[in-house]
Amino acid sequence: MTRYITRFAPSPTGNLHIGSARTALINYIFKSQYPNSKLYLRIEDTDKIRSTQEFKDNIISSLKWLGVKWDNEPQIQSLNINRHLEVAHNLLKNKKAYKCICTEGQLGIQRKKINTGEIKSKKICTSCETNNEIQSLDKGYVTRIKIPTSGKETLKDVIQGKVEVNNTEIDDFVLVRRDGTPTYMLSVVVDDHDLGVNFIIRGDDHLNNYFRQKFIYQHMDWEIPQYAHIPLIHGEDGTKLSKRHGAVNLIDLKNDGYLPSAIINNIILLGWSPKNQDNEIIEINNIISQFEIKNLSKSASIFSYKKLDYFNNYFLRLEHNIKFFEAYCESNSLLKGYLSSDKEKLFRVFNVYKKDISKYIEIVNFSEIYFSKHFSKSHDEKFPEDFNNIFSEFLELIININKWEYDNVSLKIKEFIKKNNIKFPVLGKPIRYLLTNNYNGPSITDIFMILGKSESIERLKRHSY
Ligand code: GLU
């Protein structure tokens, strides 16, 4: 079986976005399907102005949180600059690249001619290559790659299928800038080659770059990897997924209380669906055994927050995921306070409300009333006569319950209602109000269970009539 070497190569110019997380995830799934295959993480930090340590840390921690695992330590692209330059020198030496000293003004004129169609080829410099004086300069030039002026290139992309581009459409792009720094286009190819990368999965916004980068491989006599360019993710209005649609960075989804398994479930179903599956819930191991990269749709997929909420509600209710709730509470200042004051109570709140929430952050509002230290002793609500008439007997009943367990308390309440021949809301609504300052909410037995016996009694005693 083929051994694949893949990589995920983010630029640390922002926090990890859902779209990039999907690229990383697909790389991880793919490499996990082939024994002895590898996934490397490379931080492409050559854009010194926009790259920051904070974004780098965010990308690494978001990937770890999502469950994407890579091999070896992350590679830092800027540490390999000398190697990138060595390859550029090699290309110059072998006349696969040339020195160019065109000024911005000259390039601007040429660009205009290309854009208006006056010149049919995208080659921006037409004179430096043949000028011996320029070619023997030892500084003050950019290094440009040589690209054929006729013929066409074909890519057999695993997802996009056959893509053809005329060589006239490919520009003589810069490999090394005038200040001696290598460009992304050069660095990415050199690093991928040196790592032995033979399968590149990345966003289809890089599809055009294939037709440039392939010439570096070709000129160096290096084997060209296979490519799978995955389509971008759009919001429900059909435009590229952005902040306007909702949280788009993993850190924001994490802070809202989404679970990695829900995010994975949601993003893997964008453009792919498992066979013989009666519902849409699928977890990573199953994805790894069923996913086929070649079956990924080549058109852009729509990201739905409603779907994400549905998956998240499913995963947060699973018993074994309670550890994620605890971790979430640790990271949220209000919940952290509740966690240290009464962890069991907080978990009881969660267990009662979990069916109604789509993300952990919603628990913050629900918890407040149960942890309120200043739960008002008095209240100005006037309750109906038929409730007031039975209240002391009900309080007595609650005080006398010894087995404070859900089924028993619920049974006692039912018996009380029957014995007094009243409709449930006559008792339930005011009791719920006394316990939570709200006529609506979970069953009163649930509320009793959250509060515990003594606090429930204390709250019920607020009743004055
Ligand atoms: N660093 C590039 C980016 O973040 C990815 C390069 C690649 O995958 O070839 O868009």
Side-chain angles (χ1 to χ4, degrees):
M1 198 181 251
T2 319
R3 178 173 173 259
Y4 287 109
I5 310 292
T6 63
R7 52 55 161 189
F8 174 56
S11 306
T13 53
N15 288 329
L16 189 72
H17 181 275
I18 295 171
S20 306
R22 178 173 176 241
T23 305
L25 179 69
I26 293 176
N27 268 290
Y28 171 61
I29 293 166
F30 181 79
K31 87 101 195 188
S32 305
Q33 296 177 321
Y34 298 89
N36 301 321
S37 292
K38 300 261 186 238
L39 166 61
Y40 296 122
L41 173 63
R42 182 173 60 245
I43 304 293
E44 303 210 313
D45 60 340
T46 46
D47 179 345
K48 282 290 165 211
I49 297 167
R50 293 168 60 226
S51 301
T52 69
Q53 183 63 33
E54 193 191 327
F55 290 142
K56 180 186 146 195
D57 294 344
N58 172 274
I59 291 170
I60 292 179
S61 62
S62 298
L63 288 172
K64 281 189 182 157
W65 177 74
L66 190 65
V68 168
K69 299 181 199 79
W70 58 90
D71 296 279
N72 302 359
E73 285 303 301
Q75 188 187 42
I76 308 298
Q77 186 158 64
S78 59
L79 300 178
N80 287 346
I81 283 182
N82 288 341
R83 167 69 180 143
H84 308 153
L85 294 177
E86 182 190 309
V87 171
H89 288 140
N90 198 320
L91 290 169
L92 272 177
K93 201 176 83 205
N94 293 323
K95 305 233 176 310
K96 305 286 187 191
Y98 65 94
K99 299 173 185 176
C100 164
I101 58 160
C102 291
T103 62
E104 261 319 303
Q106 288 168 312
L107 294 175
I109 294 169
Q110 191 74 358
R111 227 171 259 131
K112 207 165 165 191
K113 287 184 185 165
I114 292 171
N115 290 343
T116 56
E118 193 183 329
I119 303 182
K120 295 281 172 270
S121 162
K122 291 266 164 72
K123 311 290 175 289
I124 199 146
C125 171
T126 46
S127 52
C128 297
E129 188 185 333
T130 49
N131 182 321
N132 286 339
E133 219 172 294
I134 296 171
Q135 295 315 307
S136 42
L137 287 172
D138 55 12
K139 58 173 187 302
Y141 59 85
V142 304
T143 306
R144 286 186 187 279
I145 190 149
K146 285 191 194 173
I147 304 280
T149 46
S150 60
K152 65 179 175 198
E153 303 306 321
T154 305
L155 165 66
K156 287 207 178 90
D157 191 272
V158 173
I159 295 166
Q160 308 289 332
K162 190 170 159 189
V163 187
E164 284 184 336
V165 168
N166 286 330
N167 284 335
T168 49
E169 288 299 309
I170 306 170
D171 60 340
D172 42 355
F173 61 90
V174 173
L175 297 167
V176 183
R177 301 182 191 92
R178 209 175 285 256
D179 64 4
T181 56
T183 58
Y184 150 74
M185 216 62 81
L186 172 64
S187 303
V188 74
V189 172
V190 176
D191 287 343
D192 281 342
H193 168 265
D194 288 359
L195 283 172
V197 170
N198 59 6
F199 201 102
I200 293 182
I201 302 169
R202 62 183 180 184
D204 68 4
D205 48 339
H206 284 289
L207 185 61
N208 286 340
N209 285 338
Y210 163 80
F211 292 96
R212 296 174 166 137
Q213 292 164 1
K214 73 159 285 185
F215 284 102
I216 305 178
Y217 284 100
Q218 215 162 284
H219 291 342
M220 291 300 294
D221 244 339
W222 291 343
E223 197 163 325
I224 301 179
Q226 265 182 282
Y227 284 82
H229 285 96
I230 60 178
L232 299 185
I233 303 178
H234 286 177
E236 275 169 298
D237 58 359
T239 63
K240 206 174 148 204
L241 192 67
S242 73
K243 276 208 187 87
R244 284 182 303 114
H245 300 101
V248 286
N249 293 326
L250 280 232
I251 183 74
D252 300 323
L253 293 172
K254 181 180 178 209
N255 290 342
D256 280 351
Y258 286 100
L259 287 167
S261 32
I263 297 172
I264 290 175
N265 200 151
N266 200 37
I267 59 185
I268 205 63
L269 295 187
L270 300 173
W272 174 75
S273 50
K275 289 190 189 103
N276 314 322
Q277 175 107 0
D278 21 335
N279 65 29
E280 292 189 298
I281 301 291
I282 186 159
E283 290 194 67
I284 190 71
N285 289 341
N286 240 336
I287 297 172
I288 291 173
S289 60
Q290 294 193 48
F291 185 78
E292 279 190 81
I293 195 158
K294 65 176 174 27
N295 292 343
L296 199 66
S297 158
K298 61 175 170 178
S299 43
S301 311
I302 306 292
F303 187 88
S304 154
Y305 285 92
K306 225 167 109 197
K307 247 332 179 3
L308 178 63
D309 285 352
Y310 164 77
F311 290 131
N312 209 48
N313 172 267
Y314 173 84
F315 284 107
L316 64 73
R317 281 183 289 124
L318 297 181
E319 211 53 59
H320 65 263
N321 280 336
I322 192 73
K323 57 182 182 290
F324 286 102
F325 178 61
E326 190 167 351
Y328 181 78
C329 294
E330 292 286 355
S331 69
N332 177 292
S333 59
L334 262 173
L335 293 177
K336 193 171 177 180
Y338 298 155
L339 192 69
S340 56
S341 86
D342 191 341
K343 177 173 162 180
E344 272 71 40
K345 191 203 253 185
L346 182 58
F347 278 31
R348 291 196 298 269
V349 173
F350 175 68
N351 278 319
V352 166
Y353 285 92
K354 64 185 178 187
K355 62 180 188 325
D356 306 317
I357 62 167
S358 53
K359 42 195 177 291
Y360 291 140
I361 199 162
E362 293 165 38
I363 286 294
V364 173
N365 282 340
F366 290 129
S367 310
E368 211 180 340
I369 198 72
Y370 298 105
F371 284 88
S372 166
K373 294 238 176 354
H374 314 287
F375 196 79
S376 75
K377 290 264 179 265
S378 61
H379 62 92
D380 2 318
E381 283 293 306
K382 290 274 164 273
F383 297 132
E385 259 323 288
D386 45 359
F387 171 74
N388 289 338
N389 292 339
I390 55 163
F391 177 72
S392 25
E393 196 192 328
F394 182 72
L395 181 60
E396 202 59 25
L397 170 92
I398 295 297
I399 291 171
N400 287 321
I401 295 180
N402 290 325
K403 209 169 139 212
W404 194 257
E405 282 168 10
Y406 187 94
D407 289 347
N408 188 45
V409 172
S410 167
L411 181 72
K412 290 276 181 324
I413 295 172
K414 276 190 195 125
E415 285 170 358
F416 179 86
I417 284 175
K418 200 161 169 206
K419 184 175 146 234
N420 284 282
N421 197 20
I422 49 170
K423 289 213 163 19
F424 185 81
V426 171
L427 175 77
K429 291 245 166 197
I431 291 296
R432 191 181 289 114
Y433 188 89
L434 285 168
L435 295 172
T436 64
N437 278 353
N438 197 330
Y439 283 109
N440 299 309
S443 78
I444 57 172
T445 311
D446 273 332
I447 299 173
F448 279 135
M449 289 300 114
I450 291 175
L451 288 169
K453 185 171 170 181
S454 63
E455 202 176 346
S456 298
I457 293 170
E458 206 178 300
R459 290 188 178 201
L460 289 180
K461 283 185 174 165
R462 299 194 299 151
H463 185 41
S464 51
Y465 50 99

